[in-house]
Amino acid sequence: MNAHTAAAKLEREFAFNDKHFELLRVCVREHTGIALSDGKRELVYGRLSRRLRNLGIDNFDAYCSLITAGDKEEIGHFVNAITTNLTAFFRESHHFDRLAALLPRLIEMNQGTRRLRLWSAGCSTGEEAYSIAITVREAIGDPPGWDVKVLATDIDSNVLAAAANGVYHPQRADGLSRERLSRWFLRGQGKNAGTLRVVPDLQDLITFRQLNLMQPWPLRGPFDVLFCRNVVIYFGKETQRMLFNRFADVLAPGGHLFIGHSESLFKVSERFKLLGKTAYQRIS
Ligand SMILES: C[S@@+](CC[C@H](N)C(=O)[O-])C[C@H]1O[C@@H](n2cnc3c(N)ncnc32)[C@H](O)[C@@H]1O
């Protein structure tokens, strides 16, 4: 045990041992696909201690029993506590430049169906989905007679509620140009004073839904474009293989996939070809 772990142990409010961590780690994996490394021990303790306090439980044995018994409500809180939700508007902006260039081509290709589907899988608090919606409106407007929809999903009910709400602290929009700010955001009124709210037109384009990527997906493809960025980085390789196979299945032939800057399909899936920096196209 190093000095840091020893100090953490001394200061702990609740006893937390290897058995608790192992059991919770298995449950996290089962419910979310997230593979927690040994280094995540303190993070798990910290995030779940808050749950113990909220529940008025004074030990991890009792909390583990609740989770292993399958208490549905608590499992929801447990999952929300464990997920990492870091995101930003136009994060990895090169993906949106590529999307903007691609959209007019998709409009040509889909003339037959006049339908366009985009999916932000693991959308967190919504910045990614709104960035997609802004890119759609800026690149192709609102083409008459077309059915254009963005689906935005996440396992975490808290972030999803924030995403659907579409109200942000102005700091969240720091990197956006003035033109984008004035075109796509409104100054919050009343209880939302001092905040930014995305314009209803963008919200109308997006459907927010809770969806666990590890479970069956009650959705209708095919999708033309799929963003799943900075999500699989937390999954093991086998889980990634299974997931990208399913993504290929719901993408249209030739459909486009964007993944996070530190993610790769190398030795994970052969159903995509790399087009450029973490941008892929379905080939089979
Ligand atoms: C770091 S955020 C990435 C947000 C956004 N895609 C981006 O790149 O900015 C990862 C998101 O994946 C979600 N997530 C983790 N496991 C999931 C699962 N099994 N099903 C659906 N979403 C999941 C988390 O709740 C979290 O909001």
Side-chain angles (χ1 to χ4, degrees):
M1 191 185 305
N2 63 33
H4 182 74
T5 319
K9 216 173 170 185
L10 275 178
E11 287 160 21
R12 270 183 186 149
E13 180 183 356
F14 307 107
F16 187 64
N17 58 33
D18 289 349
K19 210 183 78 205
H20 298 132
F21 181 58
E22 277 315 317
L23 189 142
L24 292 167
R25 170 146 82 170
V26 169
C27 292
V28 167
R29 189 168 183 158
E30 238 171 54
H31 291 289
T32 69
I34 295 171
L36 294 169
S37 64
D38 290 339
K40 292 283 161 38
R41 199 183 160 117
E42 291 309 314
L43 177 139
V44 168
Y45 173 79
R47 291 186 180 180
L48 294 182
S49 290
R50 251 173 274 156
R51 286 305 309 149
L52 267 69
R53 268 178 239 124
N54 285 350
L55 290 164
I57 290 178
D58 67 0
N59 66 83
F60 266 95
D61 284 335
Y63 189 71
C64 289
S65 302
L66 208 56
I67 296 299
T68 48
D71 182 299
K72 262 204 162 156
E73 198 182 329
E74 188 48 37
I75 284 172
H77 291 296
F78 171 66
V79 166
N80 290 356
I82 291 298
T83 55
T84 296
N85 309 113
L86 184 77
T87 187
F89 287 106
F90 290 92
R91 183 181 193 184
E92 296 165 54
S93 62
H94 57 99
H95 283 161
F96 299 94
D97 297 340
R98 188 178 279 277
L99 176 63
L102 170 67
L103 282 161
R105 275 192 278 141
L106 288 175
I107 288 286
E108 269 173 36
M109 283 166 49
N110 291 9
Q111 280 297 338
T113 58
R114 298 193 150 232
R115 180 181 180 279
L116 206 56
R117 289 287 181 273
L118 304 97
W119 181 12
S120 163
C123 65
S124 187
T125 38
E127 288 86 337
E128 180 176 274
Y130 289 117
S131 305
I132 294 172
I134 290 171
T135 306
V136 167
R137 284 289 187 251
E138 288 179 352
I140 55 168
D142 185 4
W146 275 73
D147 174 17
V148 181
K149 285 199 179 97
V150 179
L151 173 68
T153 62
D154 203 284
I155 193 176
D156 181 329
S157 58
N158 287 339
V159 292
L160 211 52
N165 202 22
V167 175
Y168 296 92
H169 189 282
Q171 259 177 10
R172 304 286 307 151
D174 265 355
L176 294 177
S177 68
R178 263 187 204 197
E179 293 73 38
R180 275 193 171 147
L181 266 180
S182 66
R183 186 165 173 200
W184 303 117
F185 293 84
L186 303 166
R187 303 250 160 233
Q189 307 281 329
K191 73 174 173 43
N192 289 328
T195 62
L196 292 174
R197 162 182 277 288
V198 295
V199 297
D201 175 44
L202 292 183
Q203 287 184 300
D204 292 347
L205 199 57
I206 308 173
T207 306
F208 290 100
R209 287 268 178 280
Q210 189 172 23
L211 182 138
N212 183 346
L213 291 168
M214 296 301 114
Q215 286 174 4
W217 304 339
L219 44 83
R220 253 184 298 144
F223 289 90
D224 302 288
V225 177
L226 202 169
F227 279 65
C228 185
R229 308 184 308 159
N230 310 299
V231 177
V232 306
I233 189 175
Y234 303 105
F235 298 165
K237 279 281 177 242
E238 225 13 81
T239 308
Q240 294 188 17
R241 279 188 197 107
M242 173 275 292
L243 188 59
F244 285 107
N245 201 32
R246 292 176 76 196
F247 279 154
D249 288 343
V250 296
L251 268 169
H256 289 254
L257 170 74
F258 296 96
I259 63 174
H261 59 98
S262 55
E263 297 161 346
S264 157
L265 295 192
F266 180 64
K267 292 194 175 169
V268 169
S269 176
E270 294 187 345
R271 298 184 66 187
F272 297 89
K273 78 170 174 197
L274 183 64
L275 296 178
K277 252 186 176 174
T278 50
Y280 292 82
Q281 184 169 28
R282 180 188 155 184
I283 50 169
S284 71

